[in-house]
Amino acid sequence: MYKAPVEEIAFTLKHVAGLAPALDGGYLGDLTDDLVDAILAEAGRFASEEIAPLGAIGDIEGARFADGAVKMPDGWPALYKAWAEGGWNSLTASPDFGGQGLPHMLHVAALEMWNSGSMAFAIGPTLTIGAIEALTAHGSDHLKNTYLPKMVSGEWMGSMNLTEPHAGSDLGVMKTRAERRDDGTYRLFGQKIFITYGEHDFTDNIVHLVLARLPDAPAGTRGISLFLVPKFLVNEDGSLGPRNDAYCHSIEHKLGIHGSPTCTMIYGDGRFGEEPGAIGWLVGEENRGLACMFTMMNNARLAVGMQGVAIAEAATQKAIAYAKERTQGKAPGWQGSGMSPIIEHPDVARMLLTMKVLTQGARAITYACAHAVDMAHGEDARHWAERASLLTPVAKSFATDAGVDVASLGIQVHGGMGFIEETGAARLYRDARIAPIYEGTNGIQAIDLVTRKLPLSEGNHIRGFIAELRDIAAKAAASNMPALGETGERLTASIADLEIATEWLLAAVSEGRQVEALAGATPYQRLFGLVLTGAFLAKGALADGGDGRNEERAALCRFAAENVIGETAALRERVIGGAPSLAAARAVLG
Amino acid sequence: MYKAPVEEIAFTLKHVAGLAPALDGGYLGDLTDDLVDAILAEAGRFASEEIAPLGAIGDIEGARFADGAVKMPDGWPALYKAWAEGGWNSLTASPDFGGQGLPHMLHVAALEMWNSGSMAFAIGPTLTIGAIEALTAHGSDHLKNTYLPKMVSGEWMGSMNLTEPHAGSDLGVMKTRAERRDDGTYRLFGQKIFITYGEHDFTDNIVHLVLARLPDAPAGTRGISLFLVPKFLVNEDGSLGPRNDAYCHSIEHKLGIHGSPTCTMIYGDGRFGEEPGAIGWLVGEENRGLACMFTMMNNARLAVGMQGVAIAEAATQKAIAYAKERTQGKAPGWQGSGMSPIIEHPDVARMLLTMKVLTQGARAITYACAHAVDMAHGEDARHWAERASLLTPVAKSFATDAGVDVASLGIQVHGGMGFIEETGAARLYRDARIAPIYEGTNGIQAIDLVTRKLPLSEGNHIRGFIAELRDIAAKAAASNMPALGETGERLTASIADLEIATEWLLAAVSEGRQVEALAGATPYQRLFGLVLTGAFLAKGALADGGDGRNEERAALCRFAAENVIGETAALRERVIGGAPSLAAARAVLG
């Protein structure tokens, strides 16, 4: 069973991702090191003891749809209630509406642990927190006062409604329409698909945030507005009024995250209310809905990245436990009697260490991204906002790919038992597979990284970041830690691969060689993630964490440098030379 | 829906894997090119039109267990009957018992297509064919005459019983026991797990081949005997007699291949018959059971490799079809009106081409292995037997890893739709995951490759094979095909990586540096597969297939050389330098 790795998480937050210097520098208000530890410990306890034990039943029963209602898995409504009562919904929310106003770093660390417990459970609250964020930034005072206190307390949940059948990534072709009414409200008509937690029995009300188009809106993404559409209308006194004309038509039968209801939502077909039309309120300005969504898009992408880390951590723990218990054959050099635990076989150890490296690398990248989000509210805001922007696609893609790869290795370590659902390794493999897709596929992250993030500050932001990475590699090379092996040289070489690929892409983008740049976007994104993995592991090995585990961290870092990140040279070649053969082979696909 | 790629399969068999020269050289009896084409066309038709349409229902309903019986998915018993009546069960079987005695190459090509249609369906007949093979090679005349005609005709199926709860890969610790009886029969007692098609309603009788230990048997794998244990005893006249004391206790709830019943089998607990004990007949000699199993182990491993190819092909077809139909955004350079089909986005094309390369590479490797199996019956038998031995672990592991990777990419191409079960991409991802595990995990294949296969003929067999590969690379470099791009140089470099890694491993194994050799076994196996992929694609591009598709094949080959196989350098480094950091990091795992 999953046990939250609170110490490793605290170490990574503080000594790799930047929390310790931020605390020391007073950048995070009156947050103290002790409070950080206490929050992490309690979030971890909740994940390990409350969520994780209900993960399997959520998968087996799934969310069940009947007569327009969704029945959540047994025990989950009570779990949600305990979670909300624990104050977890309000961690980062504004104190003006009952929130605790804590840094984003703590939120992502908690998210990791909750998702390790059950990704299908954690995704619901995550989306509510996103809705709170959008409403806080863009809602009118009336909307904020009416909805935010109950959303922050967790009494009501939220949902995000973007996707339509013909419009997944391309929101510009959206068809859901909104009509103005004289009283300042709107009526919405349309269908949305893939709406996570669009309907459930956790809360009495659900606050849908819905993108739609006004009749006179300009075409494309500049003609989209954001609306708040509650499942039940809210009376003046805050009590629930009549049912709004918005409902769940059906839910999807999915590969994984079975406990998370994925809803087709119908707005305004007249099933409820006196006349057809779901009653909605504008959030932000007309035709500026996409900007409102972008406020939270980066954080949502990072939240999905946390799911990747979470699955990877859970799969690694499970595989290590199994490999220590299961005996089979005799490993070379095995001195014990009888068969050796399979962890003694070099190939099994290789799989487990690769899992650990990818998990820890993904964790460090995502936490560093959250750190940049936090720092972007203080001095040097532009620098940190750019850092957050740059790291978001890498964090989302690398971590979610790691989730899939590590879960797959986890099954392999289990052998035949991994293919049996009762073992639980298969659930992680199934759940993991959505994360590289939603909130923008990893391919779209790569396009974002190459065409919008690298050019920030004319390429000087990424150059400055690479200089920071070189500094880490130099420190590793200059260190007197034999345990680091060839880390310094290997990391230096990989950073050079990143630098060459970066300059090539910057030139391609600025010269308008779009096809070439995009052909190399995914290999570049992978290259970036591998380099960051090596660099952050080295930073951790060199850090003074005060826990006496530097040698152990150095050993894992060395394994990463000598056995995991060596693909950077091949990836660099693909970035700068892969496009012509890709274009030439396109005809093969017919 | 899957359509068997009969032409590509025929081309690969003939012009890449060696069937054309074997036919020309008269090595395959009176088999003709036309007959090959006719068999492939009909096997493909059966796969596309009969099996594939029943694949989804097999997944949804699965095999269902109740009261000791297994009910197969709706329509499957009739499908099996049609398959057996088509003569497909008898393709490679001996004409002495009603078989057609055709080469193994045709069998694996047909296996690929049937598994693309439904892996859960095809695995049952595959195991029966394995049982036929073992019985043909080692059974007494009495056993052969009693069982083989009905097994070859498909009237009865077979099953292979090796695994026990505590003994997966390590058969030496097996506990099922067999007692001698005065009449020459034996009584078996024990439990077997993970028995594929151990019980079902396809046939009236099931012929179980069971490994067990005699009371006076030596310890370990030298004390294991093979027994034939029919579900129903067979009367003198061939009719079915009383039920034997062997039954299915339960079936597993698995990640994939739901239509394939994975049974826990109980032998000899007294549920059936007058006294406890499942009545069995010895196959081969006492205590030589493992040797009997090894006869068919290589072919079984190759058959699992075919499942990898099959899943990869099905996933690639599905993803290409979807990417041509689904529109989203505007790809750079898109001239059409509205949104472009996603296949026009460079990153999607990259995924699809990578899928094609891995599929075609895996196909060529597995077919080349089957060719070696066929040739091992003729002159130069030792050479070809060694080639088959060498290629088997690479074929099994590379193809099954490709199955998983390609199925995962297939989901990614589908975006959110890939996560919805109705689409079918998810089923391939689930089904694929068992293939790297069963018939010896891919890690065990790597151990076999490095410690037993490389040293064949003191390393001279692998050296000779590498020389053949160098010859292909030289031809590519010397060719006048601009479409091959840098194939010659890249392939030459990758072959050099293989050569260096091979020599290092040969030295490590011969010097007894077992831990070091095993630490690099999996990276070596991957390196080998990537080099073979590049080399076989180049061989195909250079071949005179008479179909005018050389330019197309060259373009795919170039994409492979410049965008897929570049990891060989990093893999070489891992083989020859990865062991120390792996050993040092072992402590991290606790």
Coordinates of all heavy atoms in Angstrom, one line a residue, chain B residues 7-8 11 15 540 543-550 553:
Chain B
E7 N 0.2 -7.8 -48.6 CA 1.3 -7.5 -49.5 C 2.6 -7.2 -48.7 O 3.7 -7.6 -49.1 CB 1.0 -6.3 -50.4 CG 0.0 -6.7 -51.5 CD -0.4 -5.6 -52.4 OE1 0.4 -4.6 -52.5 OE2 -1.5 -5.6 -52.9
E8 N 2.5 -6.4 -47.7 CA 3.7 -6.0 -46.9 C 4.3 -7.2 -46.2 O 5.5 -7.4 -46.2 CB 3.3 -4.9 -45.9 CG 4.5 -4.3 -45.2 CD 5.4 -3.6 -46.2 OE1 4.9 -2.9 -47.1 OE2 6.7 -3.7 -46.0
F11 N 6.0 -9.4 -48.9 CA 7.3 -8.7 -49.3 C 8.3 -9.0 -48.2 O 9.5 -9.4 -48.5 CB 7.1 -7.2 -49.5 CG 8.4 -6.5 -49.7 CD1 8.9 -6.4 -51.0 CD2 9.1 -6.0 -48.7 CE1 10.1 -5.8 -51.3 CE2 10.3 -5.4 -48.9 CZ 10.8 -5.3 -50.2
H15 N 11.5 -11.0 -49.4 CA 12.7 -10.2 -49.8 C 13.5 -9.7 -48.6 O 14.6 -9.1 -48.8 CB 12.2 -9.0 -50.7 CG 11.5 -9.5 -51.9 ND1 12.1 -10.2 -52.9 CD2 10.1 -9.5 -52.2 CE1 11.2 -10.6 -53.8 NE2 10.0 -10.2 -53.4
G540 N 15.2 -4.1 -47.2 CA 13.9 -4.0 -48.0 C 13.9 -2.9 -49.0 O 13.5 -3.1 -50.1
A543 N 15.9 -4.0 -51.9 CA 15.5 -5.3 -52.6 C 14.7 -5.1 -53.8 O 14.1 -4.0 -54.0 CB 14.7 -6.1 -51.6
D544 N 14.8 -6.0 -54.7 CA 14.0 -6.0 -55.9 C 12.7 -6.7 -55.7 O 12.5 -7.9 -56.0 CB 14.7 -6.6 -57.1 CG 14.0 -6.5 -58.4 OD1 12.9 -5.7 -58.4 OD2 14.3 -7.1 -59.4
G545 N 11.7 -6.0 -55.1 CA 10.4 -6.6 -54.8 C 9.5 -6.6 -56.0 O 8.4 -7.2 -56.0
G546 N 9.9 -5.9 -57.0 CA 9.0 -5.8 -58.2 C 7.7 -5.1 -58.1 O 6.9 -5.2 -58.9
D547 N 7.6 -4.4 -57.0 CA 6.3 -3.7 -56.8 C 6.5 -2.1 -56.9 O 5.5 -1.4 -56.6 CB 5.7 -4.0 -55.4 CG 6.6 -3.7 -54.2 OD1 7.7 -3.2 -54.5 OD2 6.2 -4.0 -53.1
G548 N 7.7 -1.7 -57.2 CA 7.8 -0.3 -57.4 C 7.7 0.6 -56.2 O 7.5 1.8 -56.3
R549 N 7.9 -0.1 -55.0 CA 7.7 0.7 -53.8 C 9.1 1.0 -53.1 O 9.1 1.3 -51.9 CB 6.7 0.0 -52.9 CG 5.3 0.0 -53.4 CD 4.3 -0.7 -52.5 NE 4.4 -0.1 -51.2 CZ 4.2 -0.8 -50.0 NH1 3.9 -2.1 -50.1 NH2 4.3 -0.3 -48.9
N550 N 10.2 0.9 -53.8 CA 11.5 1.0 -53.2 C 11.7 2.4 -52.6 O 12.3 2.6 -51.6 CB 12.6 0.7 -54.2 CG 12.7 -0.8 -54.5 OD1 11.8 -1.3 -55.1 ND2 13.7 -1.4 -54.0
R553 N 9.9 2.6 -49.4 CA 10.6 1.9 -48.3 C 11.9 2.6 -47.9 O 12.3 2.6 -46.8 CB 10.9 0.5 -48.8 CG 9.7 -0.4 -49.0 CD 10.0 -1.9 -49.0 NE 8.7 -2.6 -49.1 CZ 8.1 -2.9 -50.2 NH1 8.7 -2.7 -51.4 NH2 6.9 -3.5 -50.2

